[in-house]
Amino acid sequence: MTDTLDETKTLADGPEDAPAYPIGRTCPYQMPPGYEQLREKGPISRVTLWNGRIAWLITGNELGRRLFPDGRLSSDVLDPNFPLLAPRIEAQRQQAAAPPLVGVDDPVHARQRRTVLPSFGVRQVNALRPAIQKYADELLDKMLAKGPGVTVDLLSEYALPMPSAVICMLLGVPYEDHHYFDERSRHVLSSSGQEQAAQAQTAFTEILAYLDDLISRKQAEPGDTLLDELIARQLDEGKVDRQELAMIATVLLVSGHETTSNMIALSTMALLAHPEQLEALRSDESLMPQAVDELMRFTSIGDMLMRVAKEDIEIEGHLIKAGDGVILSTMLMNRDPGSFEGADDLDIFRPSGRHVAFGYGIHQCIGQNLARAEMEIALATLFRRVPTLELAVPADEVPVNAPYVLQGVSELPVTW
Amino acid sequence: MHISVDSDRCIGSAQCAVTVPSVFEQDEDGLSTVIPGREDGGGEPLVREAVRACPVRAITIKETEDA
Ligand code: SF4
């Protein structure tokens, strides 16, 4: 490294200028208080984590796009320097193996990703659309039979069971078992705080045990789902071991629940708060794909993506040292005024692309085609079939999740 | 111009195939390739947008004039 004339800033320079992080949202789809100031300080600043540790926060869109693909930043959650946002993740780290796909680097990551990739392609997902539509209609039939005039929780009646049924179908988990995963997946990804760390751990272990058992049942009686295919092509040929396969299936199952359900809930809230755009969308459903893309940008539910530097990185007058924690805020990157005009406004007519709500770099969401299809179908069907849908409580009384992993609400009371 | 996809880098995100379906397609493994005969981009203005959207910079455009 060459010495530069200007002082290069490190984490040790100015820890007093590192606000506590993460910050809870008050509105589930808007920037939390304090983000405005972080955005002004951007594109790179410092924050203080729950355990007192200082970490880098990346807030600029362009800078983030340079850093996300940088091989010197690692996703290895077993690295003792990996930054943790909440104690519950600390508990999960006690496991012997890192979570496949999300918690490992290449080449392990690339091998695991390519194992399951063929099932998540555009063509494969499009073939699932009729089945997704069927689940959406069945759930709405049940919900609508309760009303009108009653209050129901849209999250547990619709937004959560729909993606749950879809990922269970894709993996080959019997439909009657999908309720088993609704709650448990929530615990793994969205619970927070010290006392819930154990709950997250138990839920993960239970899901893992269920899937391990399912693999045995499928070995005895093969079917034609993703899990069957993985058993036939990967496990039986020795390309993946049994523990790894059960872990991969667990990660897919859990990720397939929480992410999409939070997106459906927050998108519903955001659209209800923008009635003209909702009306435009209702009268022209072909706007749905770009509206979903914009809702992804606007709500940025997977806001904080963590990395640890494996080597020194000099960037924008800052020195990220090996061992430093780096947090990439997708919400701040997605609301960077340098990249988006009217960055804080929802605008379903905005051209698609350029946001990083699915992440960026090698870990970009593997299920994004599936997620888009589910969101498009879920929202179009909901607003078509329930034209008088409204919140049953004032928007600011909807309970918001703690800020640790996925942003969302713990229930969404609606009526029609 | 000549467009190519580095299949060793590609993570199958499908950004390219979604942005310019007339130029990029996903193969059986879920990785993207340039549709045979479309290596010149077929005059699609969004090809550069696809290059930018690719999360792992797997798409290269060579300007054939100076190649
Ligand atoms: S955008 Fe890049 S990573 Fe994604 S499919 Fe195309 S070439 Fe592969």
Side-chain angles (χ1 to χ4, degrees):
Chain A
M1 289 279 127
T2 49
D3 284 326
T4 45
L5 279 178
D6 293 327
E7 198 81 8
T8 309
K9 292 207 173 64
T10 67
L11 270 190
D13 302 319
E16 67 288 345
D17 190 26
Y21 196 84
I23 306 167
R25 293 187 185 183
T26 45
C27 168
Y29 52 81
Q30 294 288 16
M31 294 207 299
Y35 262 37
E36 197 77 59
Q37 288 84 330
L38 288 169
R39 179 160 64 180
E40 272 158 31
K41 275 199 245 169
I44 173 168
S45 57
R46 302 172 196 79
V47 289
T48 306
L49 305 183
W50 60 282
N51 51 6
R53 183 174 173 197
I54 314 271
W56 295 106
L57 183 75
I58 309 301
T59 61
N61 189 295
E62 284 305 319
L63 183 65
R65 282 166 170 273
R66 268 159 68 200
L67 282 174
F68 261 126
D70 193 314
R72 293 171 293 182
L73 286 183
S74 162
S75 293
D76 177 9
V77 297
L78 297 184
D79 185 313
N81 290 319
F82 192 83
L84 303 170
L85 293 186
R88 50 170 285 269
I89 310 171
E90 184 98 77
Q92 278 173 29
R93 196 157 66 171
Q94 312 304 328
Q95 275 143 12
L101 298 166
V102 291
V104 293
D105 295 326
D106 279 348
V108 175
H109 161 269
R111 178 179 57 77
Q112 290 171 340
R113 185 168 179 123
R114 285 177 182 215
T115 303
V116 290
L117 192 56
S119 298
F120 292 93
V122 180
R123 231 173 305 143
Q124 289 82 348
V125 165
N126 281 339
L128 297 176
R129 281 181 183 259
I132 300 173
Q133 182 67 58
K134 193 171 138 266
Y135 290 133
D137 278 318
E138 282 172 5
L139 289 164
L140 283 181
D141 287 343
K142 255 195 257 160
M143 190 180 102
L144 286 171
K146 297 184 181 180
V150 294
T151 295
V152 303
D153 174 17
L154 191 75
L155 193 69
S156 56
E157 297 286 329
Y158 186 63
L160 183 57
M162 202 207 75
S164 170
V166 172
I167 191 72
C168 285
M169 166 188 70
L170 185 69
L171 274 172
V173 172
Y175 184 76
E176 56 276 18
D177 290 345
H178 85 89
H179 295 292
Y180 182 85
F181 299 106
D182 293 359
E183 272 298 293
R184 285 175 177 79
S185 297
R186 304 211 66 190
H187 291 158
V188 173
L189 278 189
S190 289
S191 63
S192 54
Q194 203 92 46
E195 69 291 346
Q196 283 169 332
Q199 194 182 36
Q201 176 74 31
T202 311
F204 187 88
T205 314
E206 284 171 358
I207 296 175
L208 185 64
Y210 175 95
L211 285 168
D212 190 65
D213 177 60
L214 184 63
I215 291 171
S216 303
R217 283 190 273 149
K218 284 188 171 299
Q219 278 178 313
E221 221 178 296
D224 58 359
T225 66
L226 171 58
L227 202 50
D228 294 292
E229 218 176 285
L230 290 175
I231 292 168
R233 278 189 309 137
Q234 310 280 341
L235 184 62
D236 293 348
E237 288 178 22
K239 291 185 199 147
V240 58
D241 72 35
R242 195 193 165 88
Q243 173 73 8
E244 190 180 24
L245 181 59
M247 288 275 277
I248 289 175
T250 304
V251 168
L252 292 178
L253 189 74
V254 170
S255 322
H257 275 84
E258 264 306 87
T259 47
T260 316
S261 62
N262 284 324
M263 268 311 298
I264 295 170
L266 297 199
S267 299
T268 303
M269 282 185 80
L271 286 170
L272 286 174
H274 294 80
E276 293 109 70
Q277 295 192 47
L278 176 55
E279 211 29 64
L281 197 52
R282 240 194 217 121
S283 51
D284 181 4
E285 282 188 11
S286 71
L287 290 171
M288 199 44 99
Q290 86 186 67
V292 162
D293 199 66
E294 168 67 356
L295 286 159
M296 288 289 307
R297 181 196 73 85
F298 186 66
T299 60
S300 296
I301 60 160
D303 183 6
M304 292 149 286
L305 299 175
M306 283 77 73
R307 301 288 188 266
V308 58
K310 291 277 183 187
E311 294 170 40
D312 289 359
I313 302 170
E314 219 179 319
I315 200 156
E316 303 269 329
H318 294 77
L319 176 63
I320 301 173
K321 288 189 182 163
D324 283 358
V326 178
I327 299 159
L328 297 116
S329 166
T330 62
M331 179 166 245
L332 281 162
M333 290 172 66
N334 287 339
R335 293 193 178 208
D336 180 341
S339 297
F340 301 97
E341 214 175 292
D344 290 333
D345 302 328
L346 177 73
D347 176 8
I348 60 163
F349 298 100
R350 200 186 288 277
S352 299
R354 301 213 164 187
H355 68 73
V356 291
F358 282 115
Y360 197 73
I362 60 167
H363 290 281
Q364 191 178 60
C365 176
I366 193 171
Q368 59 183 293
N369 298 316
L370 182 63
R372 283 180 201 275
E374 290 180 73
M375 287 186 270
E376 287 169 26
I377 292 168
L379 293 172
T381 313
L382 177 67
F383 287 115
R384 192 191 315 131
R385 292 195 54 189
V386 200
T388 58
L389 185 81
E390 57 183 24
L391 294 186
V393 297
D396 57 7
E397 285 174 24
V398 176
V400 179
N401 279 356
Y404 301 105
V405 182
L406 282 170
Q407 311 297 312
V409 292
S410 54
E411 57 177 325
L412 186 56
V414 296
T415 188
W416 62 93
Chain B
M1 71 166 81
H2 181 89
I3 307 163
S4 58
V5 171
D6 180 347
S7 58
D8 286 336
R9 294 179 78 107
C10 175
I11 56 155
S13 70
Q15 303 285 335
C16 54
V18 169
T19 311
V20 200
S22 62
V23 172
F24 302 96
E25 65 178 356
Q26 283 186 305
D27 65 16
E28 283 308 304
D29 295 328
L31 302 175
S32 280
T33 53
V34 179
I35 298 172
R38 293 301 171 86
E39 292 85 355
D40 63 354
E44 269 289 349
L46 281 173
V47 167
R48 275 169 218 284
E49 199 56 40
V51 173
R52 199 187 141 83
C54 176
V56 292
R57 316 258 153 100
I59 307 170
T60 343
I61 298 184
K62 261 200 227 136
E63 299 304 340
T64 27
E65 271 115 43
D66 36 72

